[in-house]
Amino acid sequence: MIHSLFLINHTGDIFLEKHWKSVISRSVCDYFFEAKEKAVDPENVPPVLQTPHHYLITIYRGKLFFLSVIQTEVPPLFVIEFLHRVADTFQDYFGECSEVIIKDNVVTVYELLEEMLDNGFPLATESNVLKEMIRPPTILRSVVNTLTGSSNVGDTLPTGQLSNIPWRRAGVKYTNNEAYFDVIEEIDAILDKSGTTVFAEIQGVIEACVRLTGMPDLTLSFMNPRLLDDVSFHPCVRFKRWESERVLSFIPPDGNFTLMTYHVSSQNLVAIPVYVKQNISFFETGNCGRLDITIGPKQTMGKTVEGLMVTVHMPKAVLSTNLTASQGNYTYDLATKVLVWDVGKLNPQKLPNLRGSLSMQAGAPKPEENPSLNIDLKIQQLAISGLKVSRLDMYGEKYKPFKGVKYVTKAGKFQVRT
Amino acid sequence: MSASSAFNDEKGGSSSVGEPEYGHDPASGGIFSSDYKRHDDLKEMLDSNKDSLKLEAMKRIVAMIARGKNASDLFPAVVKNVACKNIEVKKLVYVYLVRYAEEQQDLALLSISTFQRGLKDPNQLIRASALRVLSSIRVTIIVPIMMLAIKEAASDMSPYVRKTAAHAIPKLYSLDPEQKDQLIEVIEKLLADKTTLVAGSVVMAFEEVCPERIDLIHKNYRKLCNLLIDVEEWGQVVIINMLTRYARTQFLNPNINESLLEEGGGGEKTFYGSDEEEDEDEEEKEKKAEAAVMAKRKPYVMDPDHRLLLRNTKPLLQSRNAAVVMAVAQLYFHLAPKAEVGVIAKALVRLLRSHSEVQYVVLQNVATMTIKRRGMFEPYLKSFYIRSTDPTQIKVLKLEVLTNLANETNISTILREFQTYIKSMDKDFVAATIQAIGRCATNIGEVRDTCLNGLVQLLSNRDELVVAESVVVIKKLLQMQPEKHSDIIKHMAKLTDNIQVPMARASILWLIGEYCEHVPKIAPDVLRKMAKSFTNEEDIVKLQIINLAAKLYLTNSKQTKLLTQYVLNLAKYDQNYDIRDRARFIRQLIVPTEKSGALSKYAKKLFLALKPAPVLESPFKDRDHFQLGSLSHLLNAKAGGYQELPDWPEAAPDPLRAQRGGEGVCACSGNSNIQRHRGPLGSPGAPKDGGEQGLLLPQSSSDSASGSESASGSEESGSGSESEESEEGSESEEEEEEEEEEKDKKKKKKEIKKPAIAPSSALKNYELLHRITGEGLSVEYCFSRQPFSPDGNMVAVQMQFTNNATSDTKNLHMEDVKLQSGMRVKEFPEIELLPAGETATAVMGIDFCDSTQAANFQLCTHTRKFFVSIQPPVGELMRPVFLTENEFKKEQGQLMGMNEITERLTLDVKCRNEHAIVQRVTTAANLSRVPCGSDKECRFAGKTVTSGSLVLVTVATKEEGAAQLTVNCEKMVIGTMLVKDILLALTQ
């Protein structure tokens, strides 16, 4: 299965290597560098590369490449999914997954990798299990450790490893018992020039933060579960109960986790919260163009749209912009040719507008195409699909937990073509 | 900052010790002496009594290893600390040891005794980690110790240790493949384990060590299906992939009847416009007719075990792990009845929201699926719409899927979508879109004109790459119906003034030359312009100019004679060899002189022959030969260790054969039956009732272990209660299953075990020893056509011993093997007892050295010896290889002349359809079919077992049953014999 792992930074330095079988020389990465060179953009490097003796499977996360070396047939998704899980674990342990952080915690990283794979086959990937074996570094603990000489490596077998609920450890205790659920919905949409919806759908996710003592068994039910078309669950959710009763029944992991993701059936028309009036044009002569964008509320269900942001990838020929924003401020990055307009809160009385001229490289032909706009927004206290949690019940423990549900709607991949 | 900096703060003074690892990189310091010194203080620290110093030293050493710096000279100092009390130091020492043991084998041996002690520790964690490290040390000397440790751990009472044992199996196997047989025994034992913890790991070991031993799965099949949902995610992927392969050998194709219905519907057919495709349809119809006959004979009923697998994997489509979802999707694609496959589409579309690498892999698989099962993804068409922010490789794949999904009803939407793509800034993507439009136009006749007009409009695009790509695509489209489009050709002729991209210029010139009769006035003018600029053109353009000149000369010599002469003269002195060569050749051909022979008469025929329109097909066509979701599928090439997805068996495995399969030990087969049925009840951690336990003779040791487990170990107290809870949820389901199983039980009593080797009805049995000469013992053999696992160069011979006498036969074995030089035999394991009236099977391997010489040997029982011999038909000396059409042609091209044998024949009356031909040829020789565009030809490919020389067979059919058989093979003797055999098979 997975033979070796190399971590490579943006500039192409290999700063960490780990081998689970015989050592493979790092020169194998040269094939990858070659492909990277060819692809220009790091996102365009093929995730799977074939070399004379090995196969390289790579993911790109947080400006780092996680490159794994494979020697025999293995499902590529297996490796990709695992590498992402590694990156998630780093994120979980150190708060972020960057070169500096990994270098600073290289020993913990190594210990983690050692536990996560045995002979190239995943051994323990559940964060609860790992945290029992290797405690995440905190400042307090590192001070204590150096004073007392104790270590951050657990000496007992994590109980999760043995039970058939590996995601929860035994003997959890809290003084405040609480369970919070965030229902986050994202609208993926493509709108065409005239504002009509080419494609729109809603993807939702329920993030949970559960801090409950003991071994609670929770049941979460919805007012309108029929809305949910396609779902995927954390392994803790009992699928049979969902099939028969449409309720989520589970023994929760301890702490933060993603309970489920869902897709709202496409029959329901998706409410588009904003409309965009835009006019971007480039003139045949004079090396300049004009830009005019106005955003207004459409179907917001009476809530305010916040965190509005417009991102435009300009054609290469656009040298600079001279714009005025009626609200918020804008930046134009000359190197990446990205225009970002941070609008903030949408005021229905006074619609935000960005207009002005674009100056182009002299002599460059007029760009054929207009750049599309990527919209980002946030609506608090609203699940745009109308999904509602009806109740949360707890069994198996005596105390009364504190419960809460929060709804947020965001723009996912929300694109306006021009 | 990590511990090290904090350490620094505390200790204050000893700065050299507490420096953060990256502050002073010894190697980057560059001075060797300082490097040397640094290691010296590391050694000092390791030798100290303080754990904190040791830990600090180990941390720095591990940091060195992580950066790929060499720390091997510290080996003796580090290995001393292997018995250190501090658990973190110990773990880091393990990390070091595993990394360097291979390089310092002798020193590594010093640590072994510590692990051996660890293996006996009362703490299961320590036992497991000792085994883990011991098995990770790649030192050949300790193979026997490892073997022993694995065997012991496999019957440990802690499931965690057993899991570790399963992990250790492939490690040992890669270190010493000789241990295979012993390891298979351990695998067999662990496969019977009933805990979810072990299941995934042992199947992984099975896949790495002995994927061909499908027979080991039989008795665990149902248990695996039922445990699946509770196994950890990674194990699920491995198990599902393995079960897909298993099911392909054990169950019948569920779509036999479906194809019948489909023919009535005819919905699929209208999609295809071109003649080529229609041909294929006919071919398919024939196949369907064939299938229909079979279906009538035997109505299809799905095996309940097949159903069980489909039912138990379906919930996993809801997994959060993309690899699990993909595994289930491929299982459904390969195994489910057509009507049920649809469920996977939604789940796969969901994965498109994930990371771009996941998207990349999923889209590749979706692209393959859409070719075969278009309808499945049609409702999700819009999910494949492209965003300007997608990476190019994702865009191109989405485009591929959209193109595959196009049909009459949605083509207008798709084309509208394509229009926006053409405006994209990403030029590679625009080029791909133009290609896609071309493919839609060829596939869907209705929109061909619309597409063509659209593409012609693109010709006035500002971007030259766009124009060039359009020209190339238009050229292909025009070839389909040139007479209608002379105006487009004219338009393109005008473009020669502006377009500079050589490929596009060449395409235009070719078009004008090819259809010069449609544009009689313009063509000579174009040639005139080209003659002027000839010297400045690129090579491919020059070649096309010569071409154009030649064609014009032949059709319109009055106007172009001089021009042609001029062009040919220019070409004669060109720098490029090819161009000079072409010019000389064409001059000889078209300009009649005294010397030029008969050939110039045919010049017109040669140049202006009607050329078939090119077929624009998806690069994903035929990729489903590979198991979807696999690395091989993604690369479209066989990756090392890839297990071929077998074809469905033609007949359900025959219960009588099944009984004999496997180890042939009849006494325990009754048990294995019970074992299979116990599966669903044996959920992990749940107490078993003792009554049944007694029945399980061969598994007794592991069983008692798991029995005592629930009583022992306080660490498991948590798991007990949970498993009950999770069971509650699924209770109703299980009851149902039990009922179903009752029914199965009755049926299964007859077919106790599934066969060891998938029997294909094509296998022919030969007699080795007759009942009478054998005094009651009769032996038959067949060439099982399975790879012979101990030695890839051997042909597997499956022998079947039947004792017809009234007394038992003992000690059946072979002796005194007489062989021609070079031949080798791997004897079958001795059969100790064959009771009267019973039957046993065994497999032996023979390396025939690619010859049909017989292997002679003596078959001995405890009383008698019989002289027997096995002579293989030539067709069994090869094994199938999978080639694509292009590879086949390429290989065939290299095996011409002496290596090619051709024979004409008249086909037998019953053997005039493709299906029959394929069947007869594959029966006569162990070859696999090669896909072929024409329905007049059947192609097959194989390799000889010993030398691996390619064997290519082509049967081309003509009218009235006439046919031509061609065999290409480097080994002429084999070729000749094979021709005879196949000839015989096809004519009789």
Side-chain angles (χ1 to χ4, degrees), chain A residues 26 73 114 188 369 413, chain B residues 67 132 353 423 632:
Chain A
R26 53 168 69 191
E73 169 67 47
E114 186 74 26
D188 284 0
E369 66 287 319
K413 297 174 178 170
Chain B
R67 274 171 298 156
R132 221 184 121 186
R353 286 268 305 171
K423 293 190 206 132
S632 306

Side-chain angles (χ1 to χ4, degrees), chain B residues 64-330:
Chain B
M64 277 166 69
I65 296 175
R67 274 171 298 156
K69 298 277 177 301
N70 188 8
S72 57
D73 54 335
L74 289 163
F75 201 97
V78 173
V79 89
K80 264 185 273 178
N81 289 300
V82 72
C84 177
K85 291 255 157 44
N86 183 314
I87 194 133
E88 191 169 14
V89 173
K90 201 173 194 165
K91 275 204 167 173
L92 296 177
V93 171
Y94 288 176
V95 169
Y96 182 91
L97 202 58
V98 171
R99 169 69 180 76
Y100 285 112
E102 207 172 4
E103 293 170 25
Q104 312 231 355
Q105 307 224 346
D106 294 342
L107 285 170
L109 292 179
L110 296 175
S111 62
I112 302 300
S113 60
T114 320
F115 299 124
Q116 281 178 304
R117 229 176 300 132
L119 288 170
K120 303 260 175 332
D121 198 281
N123 183 342
Q124 51 176 343
L125 176 69
I126 295 182
R127 285 204 303 279
S129 80
L131 178 61
R132 221 184 121 186
V133 182
L134 181 70
S135 56
S136 300
I137 296 175
R138 287 167 295 271
V139 177
T140 353
I141 301 175
I142 62 162
V143 164
I145 299 176
M146 269 161 83
M147 192 69 227
L148 209 67
I150 291 175
K151 276 186 179 164
E152 216 157 275
S155 39
D156 197 285
M157 56 185 224
S158 154
Y160 185 68
V161 177
R162 297 204 297 274
K163 183 190 177 75
T164 317
H167 278 273
I169 292 170
K171 296 184 206 168
L172 180 53
Y173 180 64
S174 69
L175 193 61
D176 182 11
E178 299 265 294
Q179 304 293 325
K180 185 171 176 173
D181 291 341
Q182 287 195 58
L183 287 174
I184 291 178
E185 276 170 32
V186 183
I187 290 175
E188 196 174 0
K189 185 174 184 181
L190 286 171
L191 273 173
D193 204 295
K194 281 173 284 303
T195 53
T196 48
L197 206 56
V198 182
S201 306
V202 67
V203 172
M204 185 268 304
F206 170 84
E207 288 285 80
E208 290 212 0
V209 178
C210 53
E212 72 285 350
R213 287 291 303 273
I214 284 285
D215 57 300
L216 296 179
I217 303 302
H218 295 316
K219 46 183 174 177
N220 300 300
Y221 172 76
R222 289 189 184 180
K223 184 194 68 195
L224 284 175
C225 285
N226 287 314
L227 284 184
L228 194 57
I229 192 128
D230 292 321
V231 174
E232 37 85 39
E233 317 162 80
W234 313 107
Q236 283 172 348
V237 178
V238 181
I239 296 177
I240 294 171
N241 280 322
M242 186 275 291
L243 288 179
T244 308
R245 233 177 52 238
Y246 176 83
R248 270 294 185 98
T249 62
Q250 299 302 317
F251 307 128
L252 284 179
N253 184 353
N255 291 322
I256 293 179
N257 291 349
E258 302 272 325
S259 51
L260 244 182
L261 293 173
E262 199 178 88
E263 201 184 11
E268 297 276 294
K269 231 167 34 185
T270 40
F271 164 63
Y272 299 108
S274 69
D275 304 354
E276 183 89 340
E277 303 276 357
E278 266 165 32
D279 280 352
E280 235 178 51
D281 255 17
E282 265 163 41
E283 186 184 313
E284 232 165 82
K285 248 194 247 169
E286 251 172 56
K287 271 191 209 156
K288 278 173 198 163
E290 201 73 33
V293 173
M294 275 176 67
K296 263 177 209 154
R297 242 185 329 204
K298 221 182 185 182
Y300 173 76
V301 183
M302 188 182 273
D303 190 316
D305 282 337
H306 190 171
R307 175 51 65 202
L308 176 74
L309 177 62
L310 292 176
R311 194 177 50 214
N312 284 7
T313 46
K314 194 173 169 188
L316 295 177
L317 280 176
Q318 256 63 49
S319 170
R320 64 172 171 171
N321 187 319
V324 176
V325 176
M326 188 67 231
V328 179
Q330 66 84 23

Side-chain angles (χ1 to χ4, degrees), chain A residues 351-388:
Chain A
L351 299 181
N353 169 275
L354 179 75
R355 75 172 84 199
S357 62
L358 309 167
S359 59
M360 316 271 293
Q361 203 174 340
K366 171 192 158 204
E368 286 279 329
E369 66 287 319
N370 283 336
S372 44
L373 317 178
N374 294 301
I375 311 282
D376 215 353
L377 57 84
K378 202 172 179 184
I379 305 173
Q380 299 281 7
Q381 298 309 323
L382 172 74
I384 198 98
S385 67
L387 185 77
K388 277 232 147 57

